[in-house]
Every structure is written in C-alpha cells, then in structure tokens.
Amino acid sequence: MKPLHIETPLIESRPLSAHAGCGVWLKMEAAQPSGSFKLRGIGHACQQYAQRGAARFVSSSGGNAGIAVAYAGRRLGIPVTVVVPETTSDHAVALLRQEEAEVIVHGPSWQEANDHARSLMGDHDAFLHPFDDQLLWDGHAGMIDEVARAGWRPDAVVVSVGGGGLISGVIEGLRRNAWADVPVVAVETHGADSLAQSLAAGRRIELPRITSVATSLGARQVCARAFDLAADHPVVSVVVTDGDAVQACRSFLHDHRVLVEPACGASLALAYGGHAALQPFEKVLAIVCGGATTTIEALQAFSG
C-alpha cells in the first residue's frame, strides 16, 4: 500500500549554519500533507489497522496527531473521532473538521481527553495514540531512511521532545541504518521538560502541569520507550525558554518562509543561539517537525 506521507526535502540551511557555527541541514517535515511529521507514524498505523478491518479510528489530540489521524481516515475512507481537551484552539478544531473528523471536546487537559477517547472504543474501532505505539515509531523512522538514501550522514540529530514519539522513531531509524553511534540532541522547553527532569531523577517523572507555550510538547510524562532509549543511546538533553523557541519560529519564517510552532522552534533555537550542545559537531540534522495549528497571530501573541 502506498504510504500516506510524502518524502520530504532535505536541505542545507545557510542562515542556521551561520548562527550555529556548523553545517545545519533540515528535514522538512512541516511539508507533510497534515502539516507535521506525525503523519508518518500515524499514517502507517492507520493503514495497518485498516488492513485488519478497523471500522473507525479514535484518537485524543487537539493538535498534530489528531489532524494526522483525521487526514489518514479521510484518505482511507474510514470515519474518525478525535477527542480534544477544552484548551484546544478554535483553529485546531476547524482543521480537524476540515478533514471530516467528528470532534468531541472533553476535559481540561489531554489526559482527560485521552481517558474519554478510550471509553468510546467499540469492538471494531482502532485507537491511535499520539506518541506511544510501536507502529508510530516504525513510521517515524522513515525520515532517517530517506536521509540515508540521500547519501548524507549527520554527526548528530536535533529533535524536539514531547511525549517521545519523534525521538523514539529517530533513534529506531538511526539504528536500522547502522548509525547507532550518531548522537541525538533532545530539546524541550521549560515547563514541558518531562524527559530532562526524568533523566536527572533517574526515573520517569510526571510533571504536575504544563506551563510552556509549546503545548505540542505538553505530555506530562514522556513514554517509557523514549526514556529507555535516552538511557541506551547517546542522547544530549537540552532545555530552552519559551522566548527562545518563539523567536526561533519568527526567525525561521523570515529565513525559510515556513511557519512552524514553538514546539518545533525549540529545536531550531539551538542553531539560532549557537548553543554549546552543537559545538562538537561539523554537520547536524534538525528535524523541522512542523505544526499544523500554528498561526502568525499566535506567534505574535506569544511574543508579547
């Protein structure tokens, strides 16, 4: 079955390279039809569940994951129900409905929305978790396969970390391309730094609440797979401010004419700030993970 995602451009960024003091290459996942990398794993999972006879897809996400499920369901001709928390923007709800998904608003945070989504499951429904599923990691790994096919090998990969789906897929992709020695720089924002705090504590911790504007990084606890991989793979954990992430989004829009969300800006902030975590490397790969629900007005509001 033909994948639902596209092969995205791999481009050298002269502006980011100049700021970083090393070569920065971009994997442009913001170009996916759903607006983010999520379509890789979620599209793969949806196709697998469709082949197994799923009559409906159910998910819990007011952002990129939900939009990816809705897009995949529409393409596959399978109904989609997405439960979103009360904090979900009207713009995100409109995008979900544009993809013909049924949208249910429930609870103050993703945790409550997720519990409600699971309660709706019927015998022939398939549940699409936003980040914690081997099928998702298998799909996300494909972006590293594409880089390897291009004949270009990075010294390090920079990724934003929320629930841990992206970093899990990237590390899986590195390993299956015999690049297990390539470090991953894992970037979070203050107030959504569950991985950094977990690594410091030596165990998975759960944040009491999310206080960052990078709400796509807003999983109060990183998935077990991501935590285990961070202990087993060379991973450098970095936490940046909301201000740095938002400014990186504004700079990226100016430099590359692409609008991304603060969750993506967190990774780009390392290059724009010439962060010390990048200094050991000559060439790095930054995953431009995207952000379908971002607007210029939201970025301006974040900037104060």
Side-chain angles (χ1 to χ4, degrees):
M1 188 180 297
K2 183 180 178 180
L4 297 175
H5 67 269
I6 64 169
E7 182 163 339
T8 55
L10 172 67
I11 62 173
E12 181 183 11
S13 172
R14 296 298 295 158
L16 270 75
S17 298
H19 285 287
C22 63
V24 178
W25 290 67
L26 308 171
K27 190 61 172 152
M28 297 294 290
E29 291 300 298
Q32 291 293 350
S34 71
S36 82
F37 79 97
K38 292 282 189 180
L39 185 58
R40 287 185 181 272
I42 283 175
H44 172 65
C46 286
Q47 287 181 312
Q48 293 295 312
Y49 291 135
Q51 289 179 332
R52 300 173 194 174
R56 180 177 67 153
F57 297 143
V58 178
S59 189
S60 57
S61 165
N64 298 317
I67 294 167
V69 177
Y71 174 86
R74 181 179 60 80
R75 288 286 307 276
L76 295 169
I78 295 175
V80 173
T81 298
V82 181
V83 182
V84 304
E86 295 160 359
T87 52
T88 304
S89 69
D90 291 342
H91 180 58
V93 171
L95 290 174
L96 287 163
R97 289 179 173 152
Q98 181 175 272
E99 294 293 350
E100 302 176 5
E102 175 191 19
V103 182
I104 298 173
V105 181
H106 180 89
S109 71
W110 173 78
Q111 280 74 15
E112 290 80 10
N114 186 58
D115 290 342
H116 186 63
R118 288 189 178 278
S119 75
L120 301 176
M121 292 291 292
D123 291 340
H124 301 290
D125 294 339
F127 183 76
L128 279 302
H129 195 286
F131 55 82
D132 194 2
D133 187 328
Q134 182 65 51
L135 289 173
L136 268 60
W137 310 328
D138 290 343
H140 297 335
M143 68 182 74
I144 303 300
D145 296 340
E146 291 172 11
V147 174
R149 286 200 299 271
W152 184 82
R153 187 185 194 276
D155 296 329
V157 183
V158 183
V159 301
S160 296
V161 178
L166 177 57
I167 189 174
S168 297
V170 164
I171 292 176
E172 180 160 324
L174 292 172
R175 290 180 170 182
R176 74 188 190 192
N177 284 283
W179 290 353
D181 59 327
V182 174
V184 172
V185 183
V187 191
E188 299 167 286
T189 50
H190 290 289
D193 52 341
S194 60
L195 176 62
Q197 291 196 33
S198 295
L199 292 174
R203 59 180 176 81
R204 277 199 308 152
I205 60 97
E206 183 173 335
L207 301 176
R209 63 189 183 281
I210 300 299
T211 59
S212 171
V213 301
T215 53
S216 289
L217 302 183
R220 286 163 50 197
Q221 185 176 54
V222 72
C223 69
R225 177 62 173 164
F227 178 74
D228 291 343
L229 285 170
D232 190 46
H233 188 89
V235 169
V236 179
S237 175
V238 178
V239 182
V240 301
T241 68
D242 280 350
D244 288 339
V246 171
Q247 183 55 50
C249 293
R250 294 168 65 92
S251 298
F252 194 72
L253 178 60
H254 177 270
D255 292 335
H256 286 283
R257 288 78 57 196
V258 175
L259 180 64
V260 296
E261 65 187 6
C264 180
S267 288
L268 300 175
L270 295 199
Y272 278 117
H275 197 281
L278 302 185
Q279 299 314 303
F281 311 114
E282 292 186 5
K283 50 185 182 179
V284 299
L285 172 67
I287 306 299
V288 183
C289 48
T293 65
T294 317
T295 64
I296 290 289
E297 292 77 15
L299 277 186
Q300 290 173 334
F302 292 148
S303 299

